[in-house]
Amino acid sequence: MSSESSPGVLTWLATVVATCLLLFFFQKILWLVVPCLLALVLYYCLRPLMQALVRAGLKHRAAARVVAGILFLATVLAVVLLLPAVASHAADWKAIMLNYLQGGLDFAKRTEELLVQKLGLLHRSFLGSPEMKLDAISEKFADNYLGSFLLQMMHWLPSLLLMPYLTYFLLQDGNRFKKQLIRGVPNAFFEKTLLLVDRIDRSLQNFFVGLMKLTVLDTVCLALGLWLLGISFPLLLGLIAAVFAWVPYVGSIAGCLLVVLVAATDFPTQPGITYGCILLFLGVRMLDDFVFLPLTVGRSLRIHPVTSVLMLFLGAAVAGPIGLVLVLPVWGVVALVTEMLGQIFTDPRLIKRFRQAKQLRMRLADTT
Amino acid sequence: MKSPLSFFGNSAAADAQRIRQLQALTLFKELTARELRELEELLHERSYEKDEIIFDEGDAGLGLFVVMSGRVKVSSSHAALQRLGPEFGPGDYFGELALFDEAPRTARAVALEPTQILALFRKEFFLLLERDRGIGVKILFELSRTVCLRSRKLVLQEQHLPTV
């Protein structure tokens, strides 16, 4: 009988090294990793719908086609509707972005002045002249940022259109693919491998579906709070901030900064609203940690908070921003695999059985 | 539309042959062709050589095994099972208790000759139960019948297991 002992130092080290190597590799083939990852997210989110269709009487393949058809139509509609709007308003973005940046810098400057005035702690300006910095950004914006941003979008478009296609084949052939994978495993490790594949499948499903639920909950809470504070585009801002929060810790701060910029620009003479936004983010953060996370993502990846933070630093160092996003799910899967491999290779019964089967096959090969 | 992963699958003729094979098995005899296709997605085929251990006493039981071809001998350190020393041939299934609980295996199963086996993993079986209760009920009924017969034989200390 296999005892499920906690992983040792070697297993832990192997997990760290394998995670770093995978992130490094993923960064090199990002054009493929991003659609595959999104397809995986969609697969786990749409699988319950497909199963419901199967329960309703549709054949497995037909259900996969119906679900993939809906997804494909939604993607095409989104591209057809959004792309012209995005392209036609590209020039306005510059003005909007600079306006909000200016608002944010003004807010920071006013806060700094208030601190100097009230506390007398700061004697020199940390921010310099915000106007000078913005002028520099404004001059280079069209040359340095806008063109390359649009090019990047066009570059990613075909890759992202791959996503519904991949999702369809995952829905249709996911089980068969899993079976083929398991077929190659020696008999001695067959049951353990089944268990491993099942654990990975469940962990990823809990993680991705939980993440989507968490995004919806965060969006609703933030949008409601921002709407009550009177901020413009509360739903859009809430959604962007909730998506930013996919990157643990860092993402929440980035989302908060974005909303602060908008609030400081929309209400330059009412700093109370900007502080209100910061308080709202802190409140939603606490709700996330104590209520939403346990209800949604939970302990699906079984990662200790300290390990999470360390791995985020490591992920960022190895693969930059994409490392920040990918490091936790990759770590979760790699940890499961290394833990299970550790259990298999330290189980003398399984090793003995594997060797016995190998000898039997060798003997058979000799006699035939 | 032909799937790029279709090389994993079988041709239509092989598929029909496979469904006929499954329908011939006692455990799945009540299932329709559509239900068998659903089930087939979850079954794992394994080949064992003569004298190869399929599972050992004390292993964590994760699912049941159905013999497609060949013979399997089950031995145990438990007195009652030791006396019976059951053998399983084509169509028989064993290790069914692992579908109901996570207790360690109570016996060792060894292939007596080259043997083809289908394995049904507990967690996948539960998924099937959630997805299609009709299939689950038919399999569970057959399993319950067999468990009852085997328990009765064990209590009565009969030498041969019933035909299953």
Side-chain angles (χ1 to χ4, degrees):
Chain A
M1 193 174 85
S2 66
S3 59
E4 303 243 339
S5 55
S6 57
V9 180
L10 266 178
T11 311
W12 200 82
L13 270 176
T15 310
V16 174
V17 173
T19 305
C20 289
L21 285 175
L22 275 174
L23 286 177
F24 182 74
F25 178 64
F26 285 170
Q27 193 200 17
K28 300 284 171 199
I29 50 161
L30 211 55
W31 60 271
L32 187 64
V33 170
V34 172
C36 283
L37 195 73
L38 290 173
L40 209 59
V41 174
L42 283 171
Y43 164 67
Y44 282 116
C45 292
L46 294 173
R47 197 164 63 171
L49 174 64
M50 201 189 84
Q51 285 169 351
L53 289 174
V54 171
R55 270 200 300 273
L58 250 67
K59 282 186 180 173
H60 181 84
R61 271 167 191 266
R65 280 173 195 170
V66 169
V67 173
I70 295 169
L71 176 67
F72 186 73
L73 276 177
T75 312
V76 169
L77 267 177
V79 170
V80 167
L81 292 176
L82 284 179
L83 205 63
V86 167
S88 63
H89 289 92
D92 300 341
W93 290 1
K94 177 186 170 183
I96 295 167
M97 281 174 67
L98 289 175
N99 184 31
Y100 282 122
L101 269 177
Q102 181 68 62
L105 284 171
D106 286 346
F107 172 73
K109 188 76 182 165
R110 278 198 303 277
T111 309
E112 186 193 32
E113 280 167 7
L114 193 74
L115 282 173
V116 171
Q117 198 183 340
K118 295 275 182 195
L119 303 170
L121 291 173
L122 304 165
H123 296 293
R124 66 182 178 84
S125 171
F126 285 103
L127 296 166
S129 165
E131 292 80 10
M132 276 177 63
K133 285 182 183 174
L134 266 184
D135 286 345
I137 294 171
S138 174
E139 278 168 19
K140 292 175 188 168
F141 185 84
D143 298 334
N144 290 2
Y145 307 111
L146 191 61
S148 64
F149 177 71
L150 287 176
L151 267 177
Q152 281 286 323
M153 276 187 68
M154 294 307 288
H155 171 75
W156 276 100
L157 196 63
S159 178
L160 289 176
L161 284 176
L162 198 65
M163 184 182 69
Y165 187 72
L166 288 173
T167 309
Y168 165 61
F169 288 112
L170 278 175
L171 285 168
Q172 186 180 278
D173 295 316
N175 265 343
R176 255 192 274 174
F177 180 72
K178 202 161 76 177
K179 272 177 73 172
Q180 288 299 322
L181 206 72
I182 291 167
R183 190 171 281 184
V185 174
N187 286 333
F189 311 131
F190 161 62
E191 286 195 280
K192 280 276 185 192
T193 311
L194 275 177
L195 196 62
L196 172 68
V197 171
D198 179 71
R199 279 186 187 169
I200 291 175
D201 191 38
R202 274 166 196 267
S203 297
L204 286 179
Q205 168 155 342
N206 291 343
F207 180 75
F208 288 134
V209 174
L211 200 64
M212 291 302 117
K213 286 179 184 167
L214 188 66
T215 307
V216 172
L217 284 170
D218 277 357
T219 305
V220 169
C221 287
L222 287 170
L224 198 67
L226 293 172
W227 176 70
L228 286 173
L229 285 166
I231 307 291
S232 47
F233 308 114
L235 192 63
L236 180 69
L237 281 176
L239 177 66
I240 294 172
V243 170
F244 276 8
W246 288 358
V247 181
Y249 310 106
V250 186
S252 296
I253 296 168
C256 183
L257 276 176
L258 178 77
V259 175
V260 163
L261 285 181
V262 175
T265 311
D266 285 356
F267 302 94
T269 55
Q270 293 170 270
I273 291 185
T274 311
Y275 297 130
C277 288
I278 297 171
L279 283 176
L280 172 71
F281 263 85
L282 287 174
V284 173
R285 184 74 251 151
M286 286 179 80
L287 267 178
D288 262 4
D289 288 344
F290 295 112
V291 185
F292 297 157
L293 264 171
L295 283 175
T296 54
V297 179
R299 293 178 177 274
S300 54
L301 295 179
R302 301 182 303 152
I303 307 175
H304 193 277
V306 177
T307 315
S308 302
V309 176
L310 289 176
M311 286 315 294
L312 281 171
F313 281 115
L314 207 57
V318 172
I322 199 71
L324 275 174
V325 181
L326 291 181
V327 70
L328 292 185
V330 171
W331 166 275
V333 172
V334 171
L336 278 174
V337 174
T338 49
E339 197 181 317
M340 191 63 83
L341 286 179
Q343 281 177 23
I344 287 173
F345 291 116
T346 53
D347 187 337
R349 286 155 59 106
L350 288 183
I351 299 295
K352 193 179 162 193
R353 206 181 299 168
F354 170 67
R355 287 190 182 137
Q356 185 235 11
K358 203 172 155 186
Q359 278 170 2
L360 286 172
R361 281 176 170 74
M362 297 279 274
R363 209 178 300 154
L364 190 76
D366 287 343
T367 53
T368 52
Chain B
M1 186 178 178
K2 193 168 167 62
S3 159
L5 293 177
S6 57
F7 62 91
F8 290 139
N10 303 319
S11 66
D15 183 53
Q17 166 76 13
R18 179 81 170 155
I19 296 301
R20 275 198 298 276
Q21 277 180 336
L22 290 178
Q23 216 146 26
L25 300 171
T26 319
L27 187 58
F28 310 133
K29 69 180 179 203
E30 297 296 332
L31 301 184
T32 63
R34 184 194 73 79
E35 290 172 333
L36 285 170
R37 272 192 197 91
E38 284 290 316
L39 179 75
E40 210 268 332
E41 297 264 321
L42 305 176
L43 295 171
H44 302 274
E45 195 168 339
R46 311 295 303 179
S47 302
Y48 294 86
E49 294 304 330
K50 181 178 179 291
D51 296 331
E52 190 172 349
I53 298 168
I54 298 164
F55 58 72
D56 212 346
E57 196 174 331
D59 279 355
L62 297 173
L64 78 76
F65 296 86
V66 185
V67 182
M68 293 289 280
S69 65
R71 274 186 314 132
V72 174
K73 169 95 177 163
V74 168
S75 58
S76 173
S77 62
H78 298 279
L81 280 171
Q82 208 170 30
R83 272 194 302 276
L84 289 173
E87 271 184 37
F88 298 92
D92 296 345
Y93 53 92
F94 57 96
E96 68 277 3
L97 293 183
L99 274 190
F100 303 107
D101 65 10
E102 296 186 22
R105 301 271 189 201
T106 50
R108 164 187 275 203
V110 180
L112 291 175
E113 55 191 67
T115 302
Q116 295 279 331
I117 272 173
L118 286 176
L120 180 58
F121 186 40
R122 180 175 56 232
K123 301 212 170 180
E124 287 174 336
F125 181 61
F126 283 171
L127 278 181
L128 181 73
L129 278 178
E130 284 174 19
R131 209 168 68 192
D132 194 328
R133 292 199 184 136
I135 304 178
V137 165
K138 287 174 187 174
I139 296 176
L140 278 176
F141 184 78
E142 180 54 39
L143 275 173
S144 316
R145 208 173 63 86
T146 305
V147 170
C148 286
L149 285 170
R150 286 183 185 169
S151 307
R152 200 173 295 139
K153 290 284 171 185
L154 206 61
V155 170
L156 298 172
Q157 299 287 298
E158 291 184 15
Q159 278 297 313
H160 301 291
L161 282 173
T163 309
V164 286

